[in-house]
Amino acid sequence: MGLMELFNKKKNTGTVARDRLKLLLVSDRANCSPELMEQIKNEIIQVLSKYMEIDTDGLEVQVTQTESDLGDGAVPALIANIPIRDIKHGTH
């Protein structure tokens, strides 16, 4: 496997289905609907696309639970894995 193949891996249908199921389970626990998660994901793509070219196929956004810094229990956290293909220069 070449280096470029490693970065250009396409997900098979089983992986996509598993990722969707995980997203449903996590979003349900965080009281965040799949529709809202998709809207958040689309808006992140829209904003970041102004400044960089991103790999939308590899983009992952999740809502999960994490411990509060104040130590008062678990709070929802947004975690995004956003592969960047290129930075757009001169966009101010």
Side-chain angles (χ1 to χ4, degrees):
M1 174 187 301
L3 184 60
M4 291 309 292
E5 290 176 49
L6 179 66
F7 291 107
N8 291 327
K9 258 192 226 178
K10 296 291 181 193
K11 293 182 179 181
N12 64 35
T13 55
T15 303
V16 171
R18 186 177 65 239
D19 290 346
R20 286 183 181 161
L21 180 58
K22 285 195 303 188
L23 177 61
L24 285 171
L25 292 171
V26 170
S27 63
D28 185 52
R29 285 188 217 134
N31 198 18
C32 182
S33 71
E35 293 82 14
L36 179 59
M37 285 301 301
E38 191 64 27
Q39 184 178 358
I40 290 169
K41 183 177 175 179
N42 289 335
E43 289 184 21
I44 288 171
I45 291 170
Q46 181 182 9
V47 170
L48 291 178
S49 293
K50 293 178 184 179
Y51 306 101
M52 57 192 68
E53 182 183 341
I54 59 174
D55 177 8
T56 56
D57 292 333
L59 182 118
E60 297 176 32
V61 177
Q62 299 176 4
V63 175
T64 187
Q65 297 288 326
T66 188
E67 275 300 310
S68 167
D69 288 341
L70 302 175
D72 56 353
V75 294
L78 179 71
I79 298 175
N81 180 12
I82 306 167
I84 299 170
R85 291 185 176 156
D86 194 21
I87 302 292
K88 296 180 181 178
H89 300 285
T91 54
H92 289 18

